[in-house]
Amino acid sequence: MWERTLQDLIRGLRANKKDESKFIAQAVDEIRTETRSKDMEIKAAAVLKLTYLHMLGYDMSWASFHVVEVMSAPRIHLKTIGYLAAAQSFQQDTDVLMLTTNLLKKDLGSRPEEVAIALNGLSHIVTPELARDLSPELVAMLNHSRPHIRKRAVLAMYKVVTKYPDILPSSMSRLRDKLDDPDPGVVAATVNVLCELAPQSPRDYLPLAPQLFHLLTTSSNNWMLIKIIKLFGTLTPYEPRLVKKLQPPITDLISTTSAISLLYECVRTCIIGGMLLGHAGNALARTCVTKLAGFLQDADQNLKYIALLAMVKIVPTHPELVAEYQDMILSSVNDEDISIRMRALDLVSAMVSRHNLQPIVQHLLSHLVKTESVALPSASEALSQFGPSQDIPAARLGGLPSQSPAYRLTLAQRILSLGSQDLYDNVTDFEWYISVLVDLAYVARVSIGAEIREQLVDITGRVRAARRYAVQVMAKLLGDESFLHNASDDGGCPEVLWAAAWICGEYCSELAEPHKLLSSLLQPRILSLPSDIVAVYLHAAMKVFGSWATELADRWDDDDLPRVRGVVDDVVGRLSSIVTHTDIEVQERAAELLQLFTFIRADLSAYKPQPRNTSMYGESSMSPGAEGFGEPSSTASASTSPASEPHFPKSLCLIRPLFGAYELNAVALSAQASLPIPEGLDLEAWIVPFKEDPTPLAGDATDEALEGKKGKKGKRKGGEKGAGKSKRKGKARARGGADDEEDQAVDGNGHDVVVQPVETEEERAERERRKAERLERLRDDPYYLMDDRPPLTKFGATDVESIPVVKLDDLPPLSTAIAPTARLPSLRSTPAPPAQTFVIDKTGEMPEGAARTASAPVSPQPQRPGVRVASPSPSYGTYGNGSRSRSATPLGASVAAPLPSRFPAYDLDADEPRPRTPEAIKVTKVKKKGTTGSGGGGKEKKAKKRTAAKPSESESLAQ
């Protein structure tokens, strides 16, 4: 027999664990029967049991009306069950809530105990309609004689105002009176409600500031003080006069209170309220930092956490105060609690400067390298030692919190963000930072290679003085077999090899013996790398060989020929295995490179040593009429001899001009926006104009008949005028000169072409002309495929002079392509720049003819010893190599980066002439308006004067 009490239901659930669903189904059926009983006690017990089942996840929405019936019970203990069930099960869309309005009004005007139950239930089930209908009764309850009723009414007021904000103006005076209520519980409840409502409209609560300040200075309730201080933190930004008023009491609280939560809330309010600014705020800030620093040494982890959290908010305004405790903060990075370590990282990132960047980064980097204390292996690890796996230490380190991949990734990203902040503004030694990036690639063991690659390439391009060291480090990295072997593993950072290959290829002029790098760039093991990295390897190998070959040609000695042949043969052999790569880009680059080196090898094999000519190469050795490698020109004069040819193989200069035309520089952020729109460019017009099919010309019938497309078209009316050769010849012989006029009329193209009866060559020329015109019409047709290959019958078997020959006569003189510097193994012996003379290009290069926009100027950076920032002068074209624009660099000029001592430090004299105003910023609107009269011309001249004055003002600011 089913027991009707809640205790029996709980006992039955515990006793029927194996078949719980069946037991609950039976219980629900019994509850359904009990809810239809006329006995209110039985119905209330059924609702109570149903409320318990609802807490377990079972639906009781079908009993909503029975819950309302229990809520209206006259007995207090039954009414309590009804309100409890309503608070648990009723939603905003419950349909029976409309039946509770009068019930709640009746209960709010009843005995105090029923009023208390009604207020509690109302705060849970209130809807906008209930809040609107019951607001008068609820406001009246704020003046109830019982303190606990007033406190409940104040708390319920928050829920009612949230659902029905229109009640707030009429109830604000009552809430303000409750701040002076004699019962401290009512005051605390009122402060809590105001603290929650104030962030929605802080200005409406500024009149309460005097009463709140009185409570702040007189109350001893820490929890209420926390709410008051938080409320003042919301009001202070809207009333600055409160800052000066609140500084003395808050300073006193920080100095005297022993409550940690109150102390933290005081510090937080000081920060968000702007109380730490100004002379008076400095003393308060020092007091806050001193208190928080004491928490860092406390054994309580919670105190450490809130101290770090508060210091993170103080360091933007007072970094020098937080920096005094740098060692204590860095020690928190080694804490066992991951949350404390993360907050310490946030604080370290916020307090970094150019003075403490190196020790902070070194500490973080050592934290990545540091091995944890070796603990006893687990059972699975002990058993796995006898298996084939060899990754036991790495797996154990990965399980430790401080060595987890997520934390290591965060730590590595934080190191990179510290160095690259504000375009490396805090880095004073770029050689040190490059070594940090390389070390990070070795020890990170997470996927951070793409970010390291971007910074390596960016630093090498922006800082000229660091290129020499970067090339040296990248060359060593390319030759490290262990790094290449681990690059394919998780966290191997293979993208760093992309940067290494690109830097060594782009700035290989820093190496004295670049050819030694080819074995590392073309080794077979690179095939295990991603395809984009292999493609960069091949591109870099081409640039390295081109630079070395051009240098070798400048100081050519016939004894170098076997060595060059050996290098070329080795490259061809290595490329033969790469040309079959599965990636299409790698395959294409390898095939092109293989063809180039095959061509060079053939030229080296055909080269014969010759006595060196006394004339310099570039003056007479490379004559414009040269047609081959070591072969005299067929059109040269008789005085031309093999001695006038270069004394080295021409193929050595084949690759370098392909890459040395211009120097790659950093691009300004506003470069694209500063490009002027070319004159005549209409972005709305078709790039390829749409044309309808033109009407066939009368004379095209002969062409189409010869091409086999429309063989019978020559018999038509138009085709009869331009018939075939045989028919025309016969008629011409018969009619003689009388047919000349007829032939001119037949032409019909606006050209007077006289066709001789026996001159068939002109007829062929006319046909070729018409064909060329037709092809020219079809050239712009995107749906017509052009075949630009020459016909196979163009050259005869004996037409040797017409065979195309690759010419290298337009190569630049080697005397201008190679800088006459001494060469030693490894790097060049050019004196390395001192470590304190780094110049950072923060502006980037602007395109030629472009004007800097308003967003282009860079804010002046503070001058610091050892690091100079490039000036954003309008005349600044490249990295300062002396050229004003890209066009000033000749084809094939050397791309070797000059040392900083060889070019100015971007300090322009005031007397130096400035370039003219770029055309992109001309005032075109004035020109359109000034169409008549001299007044318009005067306005135009004034506008031009103002426009011309703008660059000089920006230049003076940049100085």
Side-chain angles (χ1 to χ4, degrees):
M1 184 176 179
W2 177 251
E3 299 293 341
R4 297 178 180 178
T5 62
L6 177 62
Q7 290 79 4
D8 294 334
L9 175 64
I10 297 175
R11 294 191 190 100
L13 287 173
R14 294 176 180 177
N16 294 271
K17 288 291 185 181
K18 295 181 179 181
D19 199 2
E20 182 176 326
S21 59
K22 181 179 180 181
F23 175 78
I24 291 179
Q26 294 176 357
V28 171
D29 292 340
E30 181 68 19
I31 291 174
R32 287 180 183 271
T33 304
E34 293 176 356
T35 54
R36 292 192 292 268
S37 175
K38 296 182 180 181
D39 188 354
M40 191 58 66
E41 292 283 349
I42 298 177
K43 184 176 293 189
V47 170
L48 184 61
K49 290 185 289 184
L50 202 56
T51 304
Y52 179 79
L53 293 178
H54 178 75
M55 296 171 60
L56 298 180
Y58 295 93
D59 181 44
M60 62 171 294
S61 59
W62 56 271
S64 299
F65 183 77
H66 302 296
V67 172
V68 176
E69 288 182 329
V70 177
M71 290 172 61
S72 61
R75 297 183 180 181
I76 188 65
H77 69 283
L78 300 181
K79 188 182 291 291
T80 303
I81 295 175
Y83 276 100
L84 174 63
Q88 286 281 73
S89 62
F90 283 6
Q91 305 295 330
Q92 292 292 310
D93 57 348
T94 303
D95 52 359
V96 298
L97 279 175
M98 59 182 300
L99 303 176
T100 62
T101 303
N102 292 330
L103 174 63
L104 289 171
K105 285 186 176 182
K106 177 183 176 182
D107 290 341
L108 289 176
S110 184
R111 296 174 296 175
E113 54 270 18
E114 294 182 358
V115 173
I117 296 174
L119 289 174
N120 289 344
L122 177 62
S123 62
H124 289 89
I125 66 175
V126 63
T127 61
E129 293 77 13
L130 285 176
R132 182 191 62 230
D133 298 338
L134 298 177
S135 58
E137 288 77 7
L138 187 61
V139 173
M141 289 296 103
L142 295 177
N143 290 334
H144 200 274
S145 58
R146 301 286 183 95
H148 71 94
I149 298 296
R150 295 199 301 271
K151 182 171 65 173
R152 292 171 187 268
V154 169
L155 295 177
M157 182 64 68
Y158 169 72
K159 290 294 188 70
V160 173
V161 171
T162 303
K163 297 294 183 180
Y164 184 63
D166 295 342
I167 193 181
L168 187 59
S170 60
S171 61
M172 180 58 71
S173 59
R174 294 288 182 92
L175 288 176
R176 186 171 184 173
D177 295 339
K178 298 301 106 179
L179 291 176
D180 299 329
D181 195 276
D183 186 78
V186 177
V187 177
T190 305
V191 172
N192 285 338
V193 171
L194 294 176
C195 185
E196 296 298 328
L197 295 176
Q200 300 176 8
S201 180
R203 295 185 183 275
D204 296 339
Y205 298 88
L206 287 175
L208 304 177
Q211 291 174 281
L212 294 175
F213 182 79
H214 175 72
L215 293 174
L216 176 65
T217 55
T218 58
S219 177
S220 59
N221 186 351
N222 287 337
W223 296 113
M224 190 173 67
L225 289 176
I226 290 175
K227 295 294 183 179
I228 294 175
I229 292 174
K230 184 180 294 186
L231 184 56
F232 273 123
T234 305
L235 301 179
T236 302
Y238 298 90
E239 181 52 71
R241 291 177 295 180
L242 286 175
V243 174
K244 185 177 180 180
K245 188 73 173 178
L246 292 173
Q247 279 180 345
I250 290 183
T251 303
D252 183 65
L253 282 175
I254 294 175
S255 303
T256 58
T257 185
S258 59
I260 306 301
S261 56
L262 178 59
L263 175 62
Y264 173 76
E265 197 59 45
C266 290
V267 173
R268 177 183 173 276
T269 303
C270 292
I271 297 170
I272 65 176
M275 301 180 187
L276 302 183
L277 304 177
H279 179 71
N282 292 333
L284 181 57
R286 180 170 293 278
T287 303
C288 294
V289 173
T290 303
K291 282 286 186 178
L292 295 175
F295 296 159
L296 293 177
Q297 299 177 342
D298 198 284
D300 190 353
Q301 297 291 85
N302 295 325
L303 297 184
K304 288 184 180 180
Y305 183 85
I306 65 172
L308 293 172
L309 196 61
M311 283 187 173
V312 169
K313 299 176 181 179
I314 294 178
V315 71
T317 56
H318 296 80
E320 68 283 353
L321 298 179
V322 180
E324 297 178 0
Y325 305 96
Q326 176 177 323
D327 296 337
M328 298 171 57
I329 296 171
L330 288 177
S331 63
S332 300
V333 180
N334 302 327
D335 198 278
E336 297 179 358
D337 192 345
I338 183 64
S339 59
I340 292 179
R341 287 205 306 270
M342 297 305 297
R343 297 290 78 76
L345 285 178
D346 294 339
L347 182 55
V348 165
S349 302
M351 62 183 287
V352 70
S353 65
R354 67 178 64 97
H355 304 292
N356 58 9
L357 174 66
Q358 292 193 14
I360 289 177
V361 171
Q362 291 292 353
H363 183 85
L364 298 180
L365 193 63
S366 63
H367 186 64
L368 279 176
V369 179
K370 184 180 64 176
T371 58
E372 298 291 334
S373 58
V374 180
L376 293 177
S378 62
S380 59
E381 293 175 349
L383 292 176
S384 61
Q385 292 178 358
F386 299 96
S389 177
Q390 302 295 330
D391 300 332
I392 307 303
R396 192 193 310 174
L397 284 177
L400 294 174
S402 60
Q403 298 294 330
S404 63
Y407 175 70
R408 296 182 69 86
L409 179 61
T410 302
L411 195 59
Q413 290 176 343
R414 198 61 57 90
I415 293 174
L416 294 177
S417 63
L418 292 180
S420 62
Q421 186 177 0
D422 295 334
L423 273 181
Y424 316 102
D425 185 64
N426 295 324
V427 179
T428 57
D429 187 356
F430 281 93
E431 294 182 358
W432 163 81
Y433 189 60
I434 290 174
S435 64
V436 167
L437 294 177
V438 176
D439 293 341
L440 186 61
Y442 275 93
V443 303
R445 289 182 291 175
V446 289
S447 300
I448 199 68
E451 290 85 347
I452 299 177
R453 174 189 63 189
E454 297 299 329
Q455 290 200 17
L456 284 173
V457 174
D458 192 35
I459 291 174
T460 310
R462 292 183 183 274
V463 187
R464 287 177 170 270
R467 292 178 183 175
R468 180 184 180 89
Y469 182 77
V471 172
Q472 179 184 7
V473 176
M474 295 300 104
K476 293 180 180 179
L477 185 63
L478 290 175
D480 190 352
E481 296 183 358
S482 62
F483 190 88
L484 179 61
H485 175 72
N486 298 327
S488 58
D489 299 338
D490 293 339
C493 300
E495 296 86 356
V496 181
L497 295 175
W498 190 104
W502 188 89
I503 291 172
C504 289
E506 188 66 28
Y507 306 106
C508 56
S509 56
E510 298 287 349
L511 296 172
E513 295 177 334
H515 66 283
K516 293 184 178 180
L517 199 60
L518 293 174
S519 59
S520 300
L521 292 173
L522 298 177
Q523 55 180 313
R525 298 180 63 178
I526 66 172
L527 298 178
S528 62
L529 297 174
S531 57
D532 59 330
I533 301 178
V534 179
V536 175
Y537 265 64
L538 296 177
H539 205 65
M542 194 186 318
K543 291 191 283 188
V544 167
F545 178 84
S547 177
W548 172 68
T550 309
E551 292 180 1
L552 197 63
D554 183 50
R555 50 182 177 85
W556 177 255
D557 190 350
D558 293 336
D559 296 336
D560 295 333
L561 184 60
R563 182 173 56 146
V564 178
R565 288 177 176 173
V567 172
V568 174
D569 292 340
D570 181 63
V571 171
V572 172
R574 294 175 182 270
L575 289 174
S576 301
S577 60
I578 305 177
V579 77
T580 58
H581 198 276
T582 56
D583 185 76
I584 184 62
E585 182 178 0
V586 175
Q587 186 180 124
E588 182 179 359
R589 292 197 183 192
E592 293 175 353
L593 195 57
L594 182 60
Q595 292 298 324
L596 281 175
F597 276 92
T598 303
F599 183 78
I600 295 173
R601 182 170 64 177
D603 180 63
L604 293 176
S605 301
Y607 173 75
K608 296 179 181 180
Q610 299 176 2
R612 183 168 183 174
N613 189 14
T614 56
S615 62
M616 294 298 294
Y617 170 60
E619 299 176 358
S620 62
S621 60
M622 294 286 287
S623 62
E627 296 183 359
F629 295 95
E631 295 293 336
S633 173
S634 59
T635 60
S637 61
S639 60
T640 305
S641 61
S644 62
E645 295 295 322
H647 60 281
F648 56 86
K650 288 184 179 181
S651 60
L652 297 180
C653 303
L654 179 63
I655 298 179
R656 178 64 178 272
L658 302 177
F659 307 101
Y662 302 109
E663 183 178 5
L664 293 179
N665 299 312
V667 181
L669 294 176
S670 60
Q672 184 69 28
S674 302
L675 282 174
I677 299 178
E679 296 182 1
L681 177 61
D682 186 5
L683 299 179
E684 301 297 332
W686 288 87
I687 298 178
V688 179
F690 176 76
K691 295 182 179 179
E692 298 181 355
D693 294 337
T695 304
L697 296 177
D700 287 345
T702 305
D703 279 347
E704 294 166 353
L706 293 176
E707 295 175 4
K709 296 181 179 179
K710 296 181 180 180
K712 297 183 179 180
K713 195 170 183 178
K715 296 181 180 181
R716 298 178 182 176
K717 181 178 180 180
E720 291 175 357
K721 296 180 180 180
K725 294 181 181 179
S726 59
K727 187 175 181 180
R728 184 181 295 275
K729 288 181 181 179
K731 292 183 178 181
R733 292 190 182 97
R735 291 194 297 265
D739 291 338
D740 291 347
E741 298 178 359
E742 181 183 356
D743 290 338
Q744 290 180 359
V746 168
D747 188 26
N749 289 326
H751 299 282
D752 295 332
V753 181
V754 179
V755 181
Q756 298 296 333
V758 295
E759 292 178 353
T760 59
E761 293 294 329
E762 290 196 14
E763 290 182 354
R764 187 179 68 175
E766 179 67 17
R767 177 171 52 83
E768 294 292 336
R769 185 183 64 80
R770 291 173 179 172
K771 183 177 180 180
E773 290 178 356
R774 186 177 73 255
L775 294 178
E776 187 64 25
R777 291 195 308 271
L778 297 175
R779 186 178 299 276
D780 295 333
D781 190 353
Y783 302 103
Y784 187 86
L785 299 179
M786 300 295 297
D787 188 3
D788 297 332
R789 295 177 298 178
L792 299 177
T793 60
K794 185 176 180 180
F795 304 106
T798 60
D799 193 8
V800 181
E801 296 296 331
S802 301
I803 299 177
V805 179
V806 178
K807 299 181 180 181
L808 299 178
D809 300 72
D810 54 346
L811 293 177
L814 286 182
S815 58
T816 61
I818 302 300
T821 56
R823 299 164 180 82
L824 291 176
S826 182
L827 295 176
R828 299 187 183 278
S829 60
T830 308
Q836 65 273 12
T837 57
F838 293 104
V839 179
I840 310 173
D841 177 18
K842 291 193 175 184
T843 57
E845 183 178 274
M846 295 291 292
E848 181 181 0
R852 290 186 179 273
T853 59
S855 60
V858 181
S859 58
Q861 300 292 335
Q863 188 70 18
R864 62 182 188 273
V867 179
R868 291 179 292 180
V869 181
S871 171
S873 173
S875 62
Y876 173 73
T878 58
Y879 273 109
N881 56 357
S883 60
R884 293 295 180 185
S885 65
R886 284 182 176 269
S887 60
T889 306
L891 181 65
S894 174
V895 295
L899 298 179
S901 59
R902 296 174 57 187
F903 59 90
Y906 311 107
D907 296 328
L908 300 179
D909 297 332
D911 299 335
E912 183 178 350
R914 299 292 192 266
R916 64 180 180 85
T917 303
E919 298 180 358
I921 58 174
K922 286 184 178 179
V923 184
T924 56
K925 293 184 179 180
V926 178
K927 290 183 180 180
K928 294 180 180 179
K929 294 180 181 179
T931 55
T932 59
S934 60
K939 293 181 180 180
E940 181 178 356
K941 291 180 180 179
K942 292 179 180 180
K944 288 186 176 180
K945 289 181 180 180
R946 291 195 299 268
T947 308
K950 289 181 180 179
S952 61
E953 294 174 2
S954 61
E955 290 170 2
S956 61
L957 292 175
Q959 294 293 331

